[in-house]
Amino acid sequence: MQSHHQQNTTYQAPAAGSKIIIVGGGCFGLSTAYSLALNKDKNYDIWVYDREEIPVRDAASNDISKVVRMDYGNERLCMELAIDSIDIWNQWNNERASQGLSPVYHNTGMLVFSGEDELCENEKYSLHHIRAAGHGDWIEELNGDQIVSRYPYFETAVKNGISSAYYNKVGGWCNSAEAIKHIYNKCKALGVQFVLGDKGCFTGLETDKNDARSVIGISTKAGDSHYADRIVMCTGSWTSSIIDMHDQVIATGQVVVHFRPSEKVKKILSNLPVWFGDFSRIGFYGFPDNGDGILKIAKHSTGYLNPRKSDSVSVPRTQSTNEGDTIPVQAVRDFREYLHKFLPITEDLDITYSRVCWYSDSIDGQFIVGAHPDYNNLIVAAGDSGHAMKFLPMMGTKIAEVIENKDTEYTRAWAWRKIVPRLGFYDRPILVDENHTVRMVTSSELRSSKI
């Protein structure tokens, strides 16, 4: 009896020719489908299911821009994966150029600020690992005077003590919605099958009626059952609300704003790279003009929760289902206050768009990619923690290694784990509750005159 149980709980790689269903057509799902489809030896039958057309409107990956960086503090594996990804981002740009399409990756460089006279520990680790990898020539450390002479619009920041920085000339941003379309087309060209809309909308796992642990397929909103040898859940910030993740991930809402600068301001900011403003401690970061006249600024923080009544699990609340949603009043105040001392040229600009972007936050900020402990034949890829998109070209290769039960540094680092959250991990502001403690701003409050 015991050996039978062990056999059920030990994950095994799918055989050649296996049918694999991937639930979710965002960054993790498409990258995984693409990697598996490239493996001609295994000849997998790959199906991707999603509730909407791709790019899915309210997926975190559907955005005008995401940071592409290798600067990862002490996270050497992430740095190496980012460097490998940048090589492929450049290949994709070449592919697109030959097709007459715009680039998906923009190498503007990264300007990383620290709020003191010297770089803080996290930034020092980044520099150490980048140099140790042989890329010291990409890095330029800048003092306050150098920052101001090169980027005069950061003079106020330097005066306010945000006076230490370095510039990494490799990195920048990707047009994430376009990148998702690009890899979607690559998947289709390799024969990946897509089931989208109600027919592709996941409603639950199908299990063997003689063995509740054994996952044999999925059910969808259209009332159908779809069977496969492996199910891979790549459902982003919805993951913890549709499958028991044992409190290892939580859906958190993060705040994003857009400005539309005048031609005069655009000219002043013409050499603006992607920037991190004392990111390790405060979490603000921003982008140059995206080519359509939009300046995006965001904050990576503890974020907001949206607990459902039945079990208090946080569920994304997006503009797809709540059309008028903006962002909390307090968030606008925080942005305006920070930008007042960091980039005051934005003070006269109206916020032209704002949204809450949803992450699947893991307790330690690392991805969780592994066999689900409660089931057989089920892999989850979750815990994007707001920093996965830069890895789009490479992420699937690592998820495929998990599906194929390979033992690598990445499969070990991202394996299913049971981490006890630090005290207060779940103490985050609630986005909307009966008491309306968090009020969303009105469009008039997004104008430049302070709220």
Side-chain angles (χ1 to χ4, degrees):
M1 197 63 211
Q2 181 61 30
S3 64
H4 173 69
H5 177 69
Q6 276 183 334
Q7 193 183 352
N8 272 355
T9 54
T10 305
Y11 178 79
Q12 294 186 331
S18 290
K19 181 176 174 183
I20 299 175
I21 285 179
I22 296 167
V23 183
C27 171
F28 282 11
L30 293 177
S31 189
T32 302
Y34 179 61
S35 288
L36 291 172
L38 280 175
N39 189 342
K40 294 299 176 205
D41 293 346
K42 291 292 174 70
N43 195 25
Y44 297 124
D45 180 18
I46 301 154
W47 292 69
V48 176
Y49 286 72
D50 208 307
R51 61 191 157 81
E52 282 203 3
E53 293 296 316
I54 293 169
V56 176
R57 283 177 303 165
D58 53 5
S61 53
N62 186 24
D63 203 343
I64 62 168
S65 56
K66 297 285 187 198
V67 176
V68 175
R69 65 180 165 105
M70 69 191 70
D71 312 69
Y72 255 96
N74 228 351
E75 307 286 347
R76 178 183 56 81
L77 288 182
C78 284
M79 177 199 74
E80 289 174 359
L81 192 60
I83 292 172
D84 290 345
S85 297
I86 288 170
D87 286 344
I88 302 175
W89 281 115
N90 285 318
Q91 284 174 33
W92 285 5
N93 280 354
N94 293 339
E95 281 171 25
R96 291 175 68 83
S98 68
Q99 296 161 10
L101 297 169
S102 59
V104 278
Y105 165 58
H106 300 267
N107 181 41
T108 58
M110 287 279 308
L111 183 61
V112 180
F113 285 89
S114 241
E116 298 159 340
D117 293 336
E118 62 167 352
L119 296 173
C120 65
E121 197 170 275
N122 195 59
E123 278 69 46
K124 285 179 179 171
Y125 280 131
S126 287
L127 294 186
H128 167 76
H129 287 297
I130 293 166
R131 286 170 175 149
H135 303 302
D137 56 322
W138 293 350
I139 300 293
E140 208 179 334
E141 293 189 57
L142 304 171
N143 63 29
D145 293 342
Q146 291 167 315
I147 294 168
V148 174
S149 71
R150 194 183 295 184
Y151 311 104
Y153 40 83
F154 283 128
E155 185 176 6
T156 307
V158 170
K159 279 187 179 148
N160 283 319
I162 309 170
S163 54
S164 183
Y166 73 83
Y167 177 71
N168 184 345
K169 69 181 182 185
V170 177
W173 61 278
C174 68
N175 179 333
S176 45
E178 275 304 309
I180 286 292
K181 288 181 206 164
H182 187 73
I183 197 167
Y184 174 44
N185 288 328
K186 289 168 87 70
C187 285
K188 286 196 290 191
L190 287 172
V192 175
Q193 304 285 319
F194 285 86
V195 183
L196 306 173
D198 283 358
K199 286 186 183 314
C201 179
F202 174 90
T203 52
L205 296 170
E206 294 275 340
T207 54
D208 186 328
K209 58 180 185 297
N210 299 317
D211 178 6
R213 279 192 60 93
S214 185
V215 174
I216 54 172
I218 63 168
S219 47
T220 61
K221 196 172 176 180
D224 304 317
S225 298
H226 303 270
Y227 300 103
D229 302 295
R230 281 299 169 285
I231 308 297
V232 186
M233 299 296 286
C234 297
T235 42
S237 51
W238 280 267
T239 307
S240 43
S241 60
I242 57 178
I243 189 165
D244 184 354
M245 289 296 290
H246 297 236
D247 296 325
Q248 294 302 291
V249 295
I250 179 176
T252 70
Q254 309 282 336
V255 176
V256 176
V257 301
H258 293 179
F259 297 104
R260 281 192 174 271
S262 65
E263 289 305 316
K264 183 183 167 196
V265 170
K266 280 197 322 205
K267 211 169 185 173
I268 292 168
L269 296 176
S270 62
N271 71 335
L272 180 70
V274 169
W275 56 265
F276 275 20
D278 203 4
F279 183 76
S280 309
R281 286 176 300 199
I282 302 172
F284 285 99
Y285 63 102
F287 299 81
D289 184 321
N290 74 332
D292 290 327
I294 298 171
L295 199 66
K296 173 180 150 183
I297 296 177
K299 187 182 184 188
H300 185 106
S301 69
T302 53
Y304 294 85
L305 302 181
N306 184 42
R308 64 183 169 199
K309 283 198 173 68
S310 57
D311 57 6
S312 295
V313 169
S314 182
V315 184
R317 177 191 164 107
T318 73
Q319 290 174 345
S320 284
T321 45
N322 296 270
E323 224 168 285
D325 273 9
T326 52
I327 56 175
V329 174
Q330 187 56 48
V332 178
R333 291 196 182 116
D334 292 347
F335 270 75
R336 291 291 191 188
E337 193 182 318
Y338 182 76
L339 291 170
H340 172 69
K341 63 174 196 206
F342 181 73
L343 192 57
I345 199 166
T346 59
E347 293 214 292
D348 297 331
L349 302 177
D350 295 344
I351 294 171
T352 53
Y353 172 75
S354 63
R355 77 160 171 157
V356 176
C357 176
W358 288 87
Y359 296 172
S360 168
D361 263 341
S362 68
I363 293 167
D364 57 4
Q366 295 282 0
F367 307 143
I368 295 177
V369 185
H372 195 289
D374 300 347
Y375 298 102
N376 297 339
N377 308 328
L378 180 68
I379 295 283
V380 287
D384 62 82
S385 305
H387 67 108
M389 190 64 198
K390 67 183 69 65
F391 303 123
L392 176 71
M394 285 294 299
M395 193 68 208
T397 62
K398 304 305 176 194
I399 298 174
E401 286 171 356
V402 174
I403 294 166
E404 298 188 321
N405 208 16
K406 292 180 178 163
D407 180 33
T408 71
E409 273 192 291
Y410 288 91
T411 61
R412 287 195 293 275
W414 299 346
W416 184 280
R417 48 204 179 272
K418 183 68 185 161
I419 298 178
V420 177
R422 64 181 182 275
L423 205 63
F425 180 76
Y426 296 111
D427 298 342
R428 305 168 190 229
I430 306 295
L431 194 63
V432 176
D433 65 12
E434 297 83 278
N435 309 319
H436 297 292
T437 48
V438 171
R439 182 172 70 77
M440 300 278 194
V441 295
T442 62
S443 50
S444 65
E445 289 169 323
L446 293 169
R447 297 203 185 107
S448 59
S449 52
K450 312 290 180 296
I451 62 167

